[in-house]
């Protein structure tokens, strides 16, 4: 959240209080310690004479928002699949490809996308070609000049990125599924430089949609040991690119692969922990193709699937999740 966004949020909060006559009883915010919203929450609580704010982990809030939208009371946990671009993780890294056992009272991280370096932070996000190279580097795939993401970079850019990755300089670790979609978009030559948020992923979805009925293939993630590993997928994509397979077909196979990995991980979690309800949340599930395929596979396997309808799956729905978690926590105090 930047300053202008925070200022607009403050104006909206004051307007709502004036319209409703409701006074604050508790303040909730994202757990990221560096966010302006976290500092605002502390200041607001102090000025209003309230108890300390409730800070809610980003992906826990996503899942709680889906549960609240569907009227769950939180007494039974769900399997939460929270896929987005960025969220502050409990270990200080960037999360975003998470499988949680979650209720309003808490959560447990059960599995996640295998982390990879995020070179340059926000600068990396604006350059999907760099994300693709970082994912290939993490998977042990050589940067050959025939790969679209390699060809999209200048020699100096490649050399600098290699030094960054080798020396682990300005390379935050991320398990973000959103960043994986960006990386695959560039690997396939769809989008190398993003001019607006989620451009690479949106264009990859469009490519996949155009070839969805061309075949029923899907790339296989590794799903052992609590990790959802995209390395086998990246190697298969590179191999298929080199055969001249149509890019839209490869994009569709990637989408199916993600959906099948979701179904497989959720099946294993059900065997270990019992819940038969899955909540899909996070900005990646604004991808209608992926959401529909995940829901179809999960329902066919006997799961009840919670999907967003009235509440946005992206960060526009976080406030609802933060609210119900904070309210639940206060009732237990």
């Amino acid at each position: 959240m930047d300053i202008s966004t925070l200022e607009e949020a403050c104006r909206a909060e004051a307007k709502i209080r004036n319209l409703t006559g409701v006074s604050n009883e508790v303040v909730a915010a994202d757990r990221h310690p560096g966010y302006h919203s976290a500092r605002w929450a502390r200041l607001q609580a102090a000025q209003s004479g309230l108890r300390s704010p409730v800070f809610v982990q980003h992906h826990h809030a996503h899942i709680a928002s889906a549960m609240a939208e569907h009227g769950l009371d939180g007494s039974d946990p769900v399997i939460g699949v929270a896929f987005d671009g960025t969220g502050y993780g409990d270990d200080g890294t960037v999360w975003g490809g998470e499988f949680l056992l979650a209720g309003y009272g808490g959560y447990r991280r059960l599995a996640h996308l295998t982390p990879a370096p995020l070179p340059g932070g926000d600068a990396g996000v604006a350059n999907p070609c760099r994300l693709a190279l970082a994912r290939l580097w993490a998977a042990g795939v050589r940067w050959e000049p025939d790969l679209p993401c390699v060809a999209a970079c200048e020699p100096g850019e490649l050399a600098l990125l290699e030094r960054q990755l080798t020396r682990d300089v300005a390379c935050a670790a991320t398990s973000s599924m959103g960043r994986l979609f960006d990386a695959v978009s560039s690997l396939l030559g769809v989008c190398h430089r993003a001019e607006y948020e989620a451009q690479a992923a949106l264009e990859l979805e469009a490519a996949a949609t155009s070839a969805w009925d061309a075949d029923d293939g899907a790339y296989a993630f590794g799903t052992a040991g609590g990790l959802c590993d995209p390395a086998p997928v990246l190697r298969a994509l590179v191999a298929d690119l080199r055969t001249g397979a149509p890019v839209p077909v490869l994009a569709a196979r990637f989408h199916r692969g993600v959906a099948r990995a979701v179904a497989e991980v959720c099946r294993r979690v059900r065997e270990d922990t019992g819940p038969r309800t899955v909540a899909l949340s996070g900005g990646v599930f604004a991808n209608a193709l992926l959401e529909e395929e995940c829901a179809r596979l999960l329902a066919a396997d006997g799961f009840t699937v919670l999907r967003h309808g009235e509440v946005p799956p992206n960060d526009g729905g976080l406030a609802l999740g933060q609210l119900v978690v904070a309210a639940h926590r206060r009732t237990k105090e």
Side-chain angles (χ1 to χ4, degrees), residues 284-304:
V284 170
F285 286 112
N287 181 321
L289 196 65
L290 177 68
E291 186 201 42
E292 185 63 36
E293 184 67 1
C294 285
R296 184 185 70 81
L297 293 176
L298 290 165
D301 201 18
F303 285 102
T304 297

Side-chain angles (χ1 to χ4, degrees), residues 233-311:
V233 174
L234 296 171
R235 290 192 286 267
L237 281 167
V238 168
D240 285 347
L241 269 175
R242 287 175 170 152
T243 68
V247 165
V249 171
L250 304 190
R253 291 174 184 172
F254 171 71
H255 278 69
R256 286 197 184 91
V258 174
R260 292 186 187 183
V262 167
E264 174 62 24
V265 173
C266 288
R267 188 179 308 117
R268 293 184 183 184
V269 170
R270 181 176 61 191
E271 292 171 357
D272 292 340
T273 63
R276 303 182 65 85
T277 298
V278 177
L280 306 177
S281 192
V284 170
F285 286 112
N287 181 321
L289 196 65
L290 177 68
E291 186 201 42
E292 185 63 36
E293 184 67 1
C294 285
R296 184 185 70 81
L297 293 176
L298 290 165
D301 201 18
F303 285 102
T304 297
V305 184
L306 308 181
R307 305 160 68 180
H308 284 285
E310 299 299 320
V311 177

Side-chain angles (χ1 to χ4, degrees), residues 62-75:
H62 271 308
I63 301 307
S65 73
M67 294 173 65
E69 179 177 352
H70 287 269
L72 273 64
D73 63 9
S75 56

Side-chain angles (χ1 to χ4, degrees), residues 14-87:
K15 184 175 182 179
I16 290 171
R17 279 194 288 108
N18 289 334
L19 286 172
T20 63
V22 173
S23 299
N24 296 336
E25 294 184 7
V26 62
V27 180
D30 193 278
R31 187 178 291 175
H32 194 303
Y35 278 1
H36 295 302
S37 58
R39 291 191 285 271
W40 174 87
R42 292 189 182 92
L43 180 62
Q44 181 74 6
Q47 290 177 342
S48 304
L50 303 174
R51 288 176 288 182
S52 297
V54 175
F55 293 106
V56 184
Q57 199 278 331
H58 190 89
H59 301 99
H60 183 202
H62 271 308
I63 301 307
S65 73
M67 294 173 65
E69 179 177 352
H70 287 269
L72 273 64
D73 63 9
S75 56
D76 295 317
V78 304
I79 301 170
V81 183
F83 287 172
D84 63 1
T86 301

Side-chain angles (χ1 to χ4, degrees), residues 196-213:
Y196 56 85
E197 185 176 359
Q199 177 182 350
L202 286 167
E203 292 182 2
L204 184 67
E205 179 189 3
T209 300
S210 71
W212 192 249
D213 297 324

